[in-house]
Structure formats: C-alpha cells, structure tokens
C-alpha cells in the first residue's frame, strides 16, 4: 500500500494483481515523506517507510465488522498504522478526510479464475503446500479483492480499478495523469517464479471447480464483467 504526498495518490494493493511489482517500481520515485508498507519477501529497490506509529484506532475499528476489529487493536499494539493489502475503508478511516478526498485512489483487479490459478501455484511452492487444485479450493483461502476496494455495503471506494489484463495501458494512463515517469513497463515481475506452467487458466479447472470459483467471486464478476 502506498500513500504518496509527492504525487498525491493512494495505491490500494489487492491480491495476485502485480501489486508488489507496482510497489517496487514506484518506491524509488516516491518522496521521503511518502508512506510505503513492506513487501514480503523483500524486492530491491523497494524501501518501506513511514508506515509505523500510534494513531487513534477507533475510526479504523468502526470501519470493520466482526473479528477484523480485534485485528486492528493487535496492529495498534505493534504500531502497524498502515499494512500490506490494507483495505480502502481502513485507509480512509486512518488519514485526514481532505487527503482521502483529494488524492487519486486506484487499485488493480484480475479475472478471478486466472487469479485462483496464480494463487494455487504460489501455494504449491510453499513448504508443505497443497499440491492439487481440489485441495487448494477446499482450503477456502481465496484471493478475493472485492472487500479491499469497497465499503461494507459494496460501494466502490477508489477512483479507478485497473484491469490486470491491460495493466500497462491502465497504469500508463494513471501515471500520465499523476506526472509519474513511465516508459511502458514496470521493469520487475515480482513473485512470477511460482507459476512455471503458462497454459491457459481454463485448462486448470474441472466444471465443478469452475462453478465454485464463479460463486465465490460472484461480486467481482458482476462488477467487472469477467467471464470464464
């Protein structure tokens, strides 16, 4: 997650959408006072900064529902004011209203079936990771991004959702608007080493698995018009 005072933007980092690569590209361009949360594992030349500190946690607690409220208090004790994959609603609850209203806010979204395949290949590379798509789906830890860029009632909180499928075109348009130097490529492809097989994502699913992903990601599919 990035809040850039230098360029007046807020980058909301979603899951399995080249978020780390975008952060690594932007890090050297951001100012010393900008806020950048850590990436894990670390990728040069990214430099996390200004993400720690104490703050009034009550607005952030109220932005969440359920058990997520307890997580806010745990982060408060650890002084993690801003964190990786921080939802837009939590960012809005933490920073001044003028900053939220005046900075350009964007994120990236990706076809859910392609996103699930990417998540599965990363899972397989972990020690003891699940080795079949069926086991991965049964685990139920899906890379759902919808709650990251919407409020609790499903309303969009960012100014633009860039499609991963046309990532460079979308980023180029935003960077040009913000005055960020961009040659048409990020120059880094972080975490891509996990997906060694580059076959079309459609080949990774049975019919029942395809339908399961459609149900889990129904809101993202409806909002962005994705199809299998």
């Amino acid at each position: 997650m990035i809040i850039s005072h230098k360029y007046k933007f807020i980058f909301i980092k979603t899951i399995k959408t080249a978020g780390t690569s975008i952060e690594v590209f932007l890090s050297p361009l951001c100012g010393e006072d900008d806020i950048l949360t850590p990436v894990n594992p670390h990728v040069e030349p990214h430099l996390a900064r200004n993400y720690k500190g104490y703050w009034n946690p009550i607005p952030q607690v109220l932005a969440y529902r359920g058990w997520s409220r307890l997580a806010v208090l745990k982060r408060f004790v650890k002084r993690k004011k801003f964190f990786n994959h921080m939802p837009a609603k939590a960012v809005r609850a933490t920073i001044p209203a003028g900053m939220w209203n005046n900075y350009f806010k964007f994120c990236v979204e990706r076809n859910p079936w392609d996103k699930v395949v990417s998540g599965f290949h990363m899972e397989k590379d972990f020690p003891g990771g699940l080795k079949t798509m069926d086991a991965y789906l049964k685990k139920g830890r899906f890379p759902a991004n919808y709650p990251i860029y919407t409020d609790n009632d499903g309303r969009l909180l960012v100014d633009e959702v860039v499609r991963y499928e046309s990532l460079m075109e979308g980023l180029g348009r935003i960077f040009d608007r913000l005055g960020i130097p961009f040659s048409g490529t990020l120059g880094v492809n972080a975490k891509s080493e996990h997906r060694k097989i580059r076959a079309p994502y459609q080949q990774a699913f049975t019919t029942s698995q395809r339908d399961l992903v459609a149900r889990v990601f129904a809101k993202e599919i409806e909002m962005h018009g994705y199809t299998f």
Side-chain angles (χ1 to χ4, degrees), residues 9-228:
F9 74 81
I10 300 173
F11 173 58
I12 301 296
K13 184 181 181 181
T14 48
I15 303 168
K16 304 308 300 175
T17 58
T20 297
S21 296
I22 295 170
E23 288 176 318
V24 172
F25 169 79
L26 288 171
S27 177
L29 302 174
C30 286
E32 293 182 1
D33 296 328
D34 290 351
I35 298 166
L36 290 85
T37 57
V39 299
N40 187 28
H42 178 70
V43 181
E44 293 289 345
H46 183 270
L47 177 64
R49 49 202 186 264
N50 307 315
Y51 65 95
K52 279 195 169 186
Y54 288 118
W55 77 101
N56 177 7
I58 302 303
Q60 211 179 102
V61 169
L62 296 176
Y64 285 100
R65 291 174 178 170
W67 289 104
S68 296
R69 291 181 167 182
L70 180 60
V72 175
L73 299 179
K74 291 180 178 179
R75 286 193 295 269
F76 178 76
V77 172
K78 296 179 179 179
R79 301 176 60 241
K80 291 184 177 180
K81 185 176 182 179
F82 300 98
F83 57 95
N84 198 24
H85 298 301
M86 187 172 182
K89 59 191 174 187
V91 176
R92 182 177 64 174
T94 306
I95 66 176
M99 187 185 301
W100 175 263
N101 293 331
N102 293 315
Y103 284 22
F104 184 82
K105 301 167 287 292
F106 70 99
C107 68
V108 182
E109 187 55 285
R110 182 179 187 176
N111 180 295
W113 290 278
D114 193 30
K115 193 164 49 173
V116 166
V117 171
S118 179
F120 167 59
H121 282 287
M122 178 174 282
E123 167 75 23
K124 279 204 308 182
D125 272 4
F126 290 154
L130 303 172
K131 304 303 180 185
T132 68
M133 177 63 77
D134 222 28
Y136 175 71
L137 293 176
K138 286 179 180 178
K139 186 177 181 181
R141 295 187 63 182
F142 299 101
N145 289 323
Y146 182 82
I148 298 178
Y149 52 78
T150 60
D151 65 14
N152 291 324
D153 296 315
R155 292 184 291 260
L156 190 65
L157 290 178
V158 297
D159 299 303
E160 183 166 347
V161 179
V162 176
R163 284 180 175 263
Y164 178 88
E165 295 76 21
S166 54
L167 182 63
M168 297 309 153
E169 177 186 346
L171 291 179
R173 182 175 59 254
I174 290 173
F175 292 165
D176 182 64
R177 170 183 180 152
L178 297 172
I180 297 174
F182 185 60
S183 64
T185 178
L186 296 174
V188 60
N189 197 9
K191 301 181 181 179
S192 63
E193 70 276 7
H194 298 290
R195 191 169 178 176
K196 301 174 179 64
I197 301 173
R198 290 290 168 177
Y201 65 81
Q202 291 91 340
Q203 298 178 13
F205 298 97
T206 65
T207 300
S208 61
Q209 291 170 344
R210 177 199 67 191
D211 293 343
L212 172 61
V213 173
R215 291 194 298 273
V216 170
F217 292 88
K219 291 183 177 179
E220 292 180 9
I221 291 169
E222 178 183 5
M223 177 175 279
H224 306 291
Y226 280 116
T227 63
F228 185 70

